[in-house]
Amino acid sequence: MEQQVLRLPAEQLFQKEIDALIAAEKDPIPTGWRMSPRSVRTYICGGKVKGTVITPKYIGHERLVEIAIATLVTDRALLLIGEPGTAKSWLSEHLTAAINGDSTKVIQGTAGTTEEQIRYSWNYAMLIANGPSPEAMLKSPVFHAMETGSIARMEEISRCASEVQDALISILSEKRISVPELSIEVAAKKGFSVIATANTRDKGVNDMSAALKRRFNIVVLPAPANLDAEMEIVRTRVAQLSAGLDLNAALPEDDTVEKVCTIFRELRKGETLDRSQKVKTPSGVLSTAEAISLLCNSMALAGSFGSGIISEADLAAGLQGAVVKDEDKDNVAWKEYLENVMKKRGARWTGLYRACKELNKV
Ligand SMILES: Nc1ncnc2c1ncn2[C@@H]1O[C@H](COP(=O)(O)OP(=O)(O)O)[C@@H](O)[C@H]1O
Ligand SMILES: [Mg+2]
């Protein structure tokens, strides 16, 4: 049955690794946790325990991961901030998977998120029939986390209206929720915390108040520092993702990964890697996450309609879709990049240039 599910939560997908880490535990375990901070770090950054290989989940500064884990040991909440696609959600899911064995207590922040979704609401049929009772209560993930002494996740917190953010302030500072309808107050058990994520691109939509920021330890997740780092992330994640899908295609060669990452980095930064030439930046987000999905899409094209090896045409189709998001402006930026940068790069790039050009004819 497991094979039928499109996406398993991290704790199920990596259950073997988590079990191995728990079995080999030697260090003290914080209250409410399933493993020590050291083991959580190994789970996130990779390593080996007693013959079991722990695959790296987050690739980047180990120190950032340590700071994030250490925050959760204290009673402060953790806020992961960064550009889109810098693995904020990814890291938050894996932290909760390792610490609690449960990454599913999530609230997705949107403009429509209500205070009830952070606290609790009611099964109205039961409420009307029998009046307020514990059975008629619908507890939010945060409520559950408080009761069980575990970690709740709050995605895209800066998209929520300010009254919703305020509701979270009171929970984070008082560590209790009162339910006046039942005349009870639920105090958070030890181990309760919140990991929130916020996108720097959403800044200004609903700026987080200083009061809310003060309740979090903030960890900024950076975009990969250089081409090699980005290539490693992409290579690793494409291999992991495609293993779970029936793509019938070979993994992209290093040369292909390098080309995609180079193009993405240059368009993102607005200049060539050697900094000799400025280029126009398209409107879309060209994050590491997009590079990963572009390559998986190219593998799907190659596996379904091609030879099973990513061709220049497969890659060009993906690039076009990723870079040109529908506006005329992006088309101009992409065409200029093709003519002024890619075309002049010499033989290694000629095939890809031609394939991209072919798609741009119409
Ligand atoms: N440094 C990184 N290490 C591992 N995976 C990464 C890294 N950066 C991006 N990714 C990948 O990018 C994808 C998207 O990340 P996600 O957590 O959704 O981004 P966001 O920061 O927007 O929440 C994930 O599949 C993740 O594996
Ligand atoms: Mg996210």
Side-chain angles (χ1 to χ4, degrees):
M1 200 188 85
E2 262 183 24
Q3 259 88 43
Q4 314 269 314
V5 177
L6 196 51
R7 186 183 187 280
L8 287 167
E11 61 273 17
Q12 285 180 37
L13 208 51
F14 295 97
Q15 192 176 1
K16 276 203 193 108
E17 296 185 9
I18 293 175
D19 290 346
L21 283 162
I22 291 174
E25 189 60 75
K26 283 199 283 301
D27 296 308
I29 301 172
T31 315
W33 290 33
R34 299 182 72 209
M35 58 176 82
S36 67
R38 267 211 183 83
S39 299
V40 176
R41 183 187 62 191
T42 309
Y43 173 77
I44 302 282
C45 299
K48 217 172 181 186
V49 269
K50 297 232 172 97
T52 305
V53 177
I54 310 295
T55 52
K57 317 299 180 303
Y58 179 76
I59 301 163
H61 286 295
E62 214 164 296
R63 194 66 189 157
L64 283 183
V65 176
E66 288 175 357
I67 294 169
I69 298 169
T71 297
L72 297 168
V73 176
T74 71
D75 67 345
R76 280 172 73 81
L78 172 66
L79 175 60
L80 301 173
I81 290 190
E83 289 276 303
T86 44
K88 301 179 294 298
S89 308
W90 177 247
L91 182 58
S92 135
E93 177 180 356
H94 283 287
L95 282 170
T96 47
I99 293 172
N100 296 140
D102 175 15
S103 62
T104 61
K105 291 196 209 69
V106 194
I107 300 171
Q108 184 66 44
T110 68
T113 306
T114 60
E115 234 185 288
E116 285 82 50
Q117 282 169 298
I118 301 223
R119 295 169 175 273
Y120 60 90
S121 57
W122 299 99
N123 174 333
Y124 284 102
M126 283 174 81
L127 186 69
I128 290 166
N130 309 321
S133 67
E135 294 73 41
M137 216 175 143
L138 300 175
K139 297 168 181 171
S140 74
V142 174
F143 200 118
H144 277 297
M146 289 177 93
E147 270 189 336
T148 52
S150 53
I151 298 174
R153 294 166 53 203
M154 175 90 209
E155 287 282 306
E156 308 289 1
I157 194 172
S158 49
R159 286 194 194 156
C160 299
S162 48
E163 59 270 22
V164 176
Q165 298 186 12
D166 288 345
L168 200 60
I169 293 184
S170 81
I171 288 172
L172 289 179
S173 51
E174 294 169 25
K175 307 264 193 290
R176 50 181 62 237
I177 294 187
S178 65
V179 187
E181 295 92 334
L182 298 176
S183 321
I184 56 167
E185 224 179 41
V186 178
K189 262 196 173 167
K190 242 182 154 177
F192 166 70
S193 195
V194 171
I195 304 179
T197 66
N199 223 310
T200 37
R201 286 241 177 165
D202 287 339
K203 228 176 171 178
V205 180
N206 276 307
D207 249 345
M208 285 178 64
S209 69
L212 186 57
K213 275 192 190 150
R214 211 157 47 71
R215 273 147 185 107
F216 284 102
N217 272 1
I218 298 177
V219 172
V220 180
L221 295 186
N226 52 50
L227 182 63
D228 285 341
E230 186 150 8
M231 281 175 63
E232 194 195 332
I233 297 170
V234 171
R235 233 183 277 124
T236 314
R237 287 295 296 144
V238 169
Q240 289 172 348
L241 277 173
S242 58
L245 303 165
D246 308 317
L247 297 183
N248 301 317
L251 286 174
E253 284 167 22
D254 269 359
D255 180 62
T256 307
V257 176
E258 187 182 332
K259 279 178 182 156
V260 171
C261 290
T262 303
I263 295 168
F264 271 42
R265 291 186 73 81
E266 293 185 331
L267 288 174
R268 203 187 294 153
K269 270 250 172 79
E271 61 180 14
T272 50
L273 290 186
D274 60 9
R275 314 189 73 179
S276 66
Q277 204 177 336
K278 295 267 178 251
V279 301
K280 282 206 178 94
T281 316
S283 63
V285 182
L286 292 169
S287 71
T288 315
E290 262 78 34
I292 294 166
S293 74
L294 187 163
L295 284 166
C296 285
N297 288 342
S298 303
M299 280 175 73
L301 270 178
S304 310
F305 304 109
S307 64
I309 293 168
I310 298 177
S311 68
E312 311 273 22
D314 299 328
L315 204 57
L319 280 168
Q320 174 93 13
V323 177
V324 182
K325 286 296 187 208
D326 76 347
E327 290 161 63
D328 298 341
K329 196 182 128 232
D330 292 346
N331 233 326
V332 173
W334 182 229
K335 276 189 183 151
E336 278 189 25
Y337 182 83
L338 289 178
E339 295 305 319
N340 300 340
V341 181
M342 217 196 269
K343 190 179 179 184
K344 296 178 181 159
R345 280 229 157 106
R348 187 159 83 86
W349 288 75
T350 311
L352 184 58
Y353 165 75
R354 290 223 181 94
C356 291
K357 184 95 181 140
E358 188 66 25
L359 280 178
N360 255 303
K361 262 186 186 159
V362 264

